[in-house]
Amino acid sequence: MKTISIKGIDKPVSALVQGSDYFNPDVYEKVCTVLDRYLAIGGNTIDTAHVYGSGKSELAIGQWLKERNNREEVIILTKGAHHDEHGPRVNSEAISKDLHESLERLGTDYVDLYALHRDDEAVPVSDIIDALNSHIKAGRIKAIGVSNWSVQRLQEANEYAESNGLVGFTFNSPNLSLAKANEPFWPGCVSADAAYCDWHQENQIPLLSWSSQARGFFTGRFSSEDKSNDDIVRVFYSDENWERLQRAEKLAQEKGVTAIQIALAYVLNQPFPTCALIGAQNEEELLSCLEGSNLSLTPDEINWLENV
């Protein structure tokens, strides 16, 4: 499987990152099947978060890591400081609390990649970088990143880190997909638009995309007449995205693949390092993702697919 490098960790990161928002000790047999197959096709990076399943995702992964005794072979990406019912909680105390709880659930003394799940622009970036660096120095985190931040805040944080001899953010995890979002899937979520991607191209900071396949928009399950999925309708239904779907289907036919594989290849053929977070739940879906990850698209094909 193709890989990228992320500053701060010494292992290559697989282009496909296995998502785990549905992981739970109650479906542990399924968790094991998915993760074992994922490693068998060359994957090595698992995405989770403090809030997934109220901690059950991390617990299931921790159990699997312990039973397989393979912690050093696997890259763990977890996220913390998500908002709660009281509002934003992107601060030193919340980061420390969530990180320690995540480490305990995962059964490890460090995470390879640690991301802030949300932003709170009322908090100075200096406070956030200082807090995260204290955990890097303590050996609890190898590399830090963000999810759902503006590139302006990300740039500001990295400029502060550089000017003060600290570790800055070396990866970013917004949504990036061929289907462009009409509005955030969840409040406060960020999708990469053209200007956002231009910043990544200029800075060459790796982007790890969530909902990289637009939550199944390119599978053929949806049509303009089918309004049964309120969230998909709200976020992805647009004349432009139907055109992008048609173009993906046309290119897929020419290449002998599927439209969903073209959509995945779109994410993985950007002019900056990218990975795609996938939600594969069986071997068929994993193999489809693997085939899609190996596709090469030219800049002209990328431009034709997205610019309708």
Side-chain angles (χ1 to χ4, degrees):
M1 186 182 296
K2 296 177 181 177
T3 61
I4 68 166
S5 297
I6 295 180
K7 187 177 180 179
I9 63 173
D10 56 10
K11 291 192 282 287
V13 178
S14 55
L16 299 177
V17 176
Q18 178 63 48
S20 67
D21 58 352
Y22 64 91
F23 283 13
N24 187 313
D26 293 340
V27 293
Y28 184 62
E29 184 175 342
K30 180 176 182 178
V31 171
C32 290
T33 299
V34 168
L35 290 180
D36 290 344
R37 286 173 173 168
Y38 169 69
L39 261 65
I41 67 168
N44 70 349
T45 305
I46 304 169
D47 168 73
T48 186
H50 182 267
V51 297
Y52 287 174
S54 299
K56 292 181 178 179
S57 171
E58 292 178 327
L59 284 171
I61 294 167
Q63 184 176 346
W64 175 81
L65 289 170
K66 182 178 180 180
E67 289 186 2
R68 299 298 186 270
N69 191 29
N70 63 354
R71 175 66 188 93
E72 295 305 311
E73 302 167 26
V74 177
I75 294 170
I76 299 295
L77 161 60
T78 196
K79 302 177 289 293
H82 196 284
H83 299 359
D84 63 15
E85 66 273 17
H86 304 296
R89 48 189 297 278
V90 186
N91 54 63
S92 177
E93 293 76 19
I95 291 169
S96 184
K97 175 181 180 295
D98 288 4
L99 175 59
H100 279 94
E101 289 179 358
S102 291
L103 291 172
E104 183 176 357
R105 293 167 182 167
L106 291 163
T108 184
D109 57 3
Y110 74 96
V111 289
D112 306 270
L113 305 172
Y114 193 75
L116 299 178
H117 217 154
R118 290 287 190 273
D119 190 13
D120 180 1
E121 295 190 1
V123 180
V125 293
S126 57
D127 292 358
I128 296 170
I129 289 292
D130 289 347
L132 289 169
N133 270 258
S134 70
H135 294 292
I136 293 173
K137 291 176 182 176
R140 302 183 191 102
I141 301 171
K142 291 188 177 294
I144 55 174
V146 295
S147 182
N148 304 301
W149 276 42
S150 70
V151 291
Q152 291 77 18
R153 281 273 287 180
L154 211 168
Q155 180 75 39
E156 182 185 353
N158 280 357
E159 287 174 355
Y160 168 79
E162 184 175 4
S163 64
N164 287 273
L166 299 171
V167 177
F169 295 124
T170 57
F171 68 96
N172 185 22
S173 185
N175 165 246
L176 172 64
S177 68
L178 178 56
K180 306 307 176 186
N182 302 318
E183 60 181 76
F185 208 91
W186 296 282
C189 288
V190 171
S191 292
D193 58 15
Y196 205 103
C197 290
D198 287 345
W199 182 89
H200 270 277
Q201 182 174 358
E202 179 181 352
N203 291 275
Q204 291 297 303
I205 289 180
L207 187 154
L208 283 57
S209 171
W210 57 264
S211 288
S212 56
Q213 294 170 297
R215 306 188 78 80
F217 182 81
F218 293 92
T219 60
R221 296 200 306 265
F222 302 103
S223 70
S224 57
E225 294 78 25
D226 180 3
K227 304 294 199 303
S228 59
N229 189 313
D230 291 342
D231 284 331
I232 298 296
V233 171
R234 174 177 59 86
V235 178
F236 293 123
Y237 275 32
S238 70
D239 290 343
E240 293 81 6
N241 282 336
W242 293 124
E243 175 66 22
R244 292 182 180 107
L245 172 58
Q246 291 176 8
R247 293 187 182 193
E249 290 172 340
K250 183 176 187 298
L251 189 58
Q253 186 174 18
E254 293 174 3
K255 293 181 178 290
V257 295
T258 63
I260 193 72
Q261 290 171 325
I262 292 293
L264 181 62
Y266 164 84
V267 172
L268 296 176
N269 282 270
Q270 295 295 316
F272 48 87
T274 56
C275 294
L277 276 57
I278 60 170
Q281 299 194 35
N282 55 54
E283 188 167 12
E284 181 182 0
E285 292 175 353
L286 275 172
L287 293 177
S288 172
C289 289
L290 179 61
E291 185 176 352
S293 73
N294 289 325
L295 289 173
S296 294
L297 299 181
T298 68
D300 284 346
E301 288 172 331
I302 292 287
N303 184 64
W304 178 75
L305 284 167
E306 67 180 352
N307 292 313
V308 301

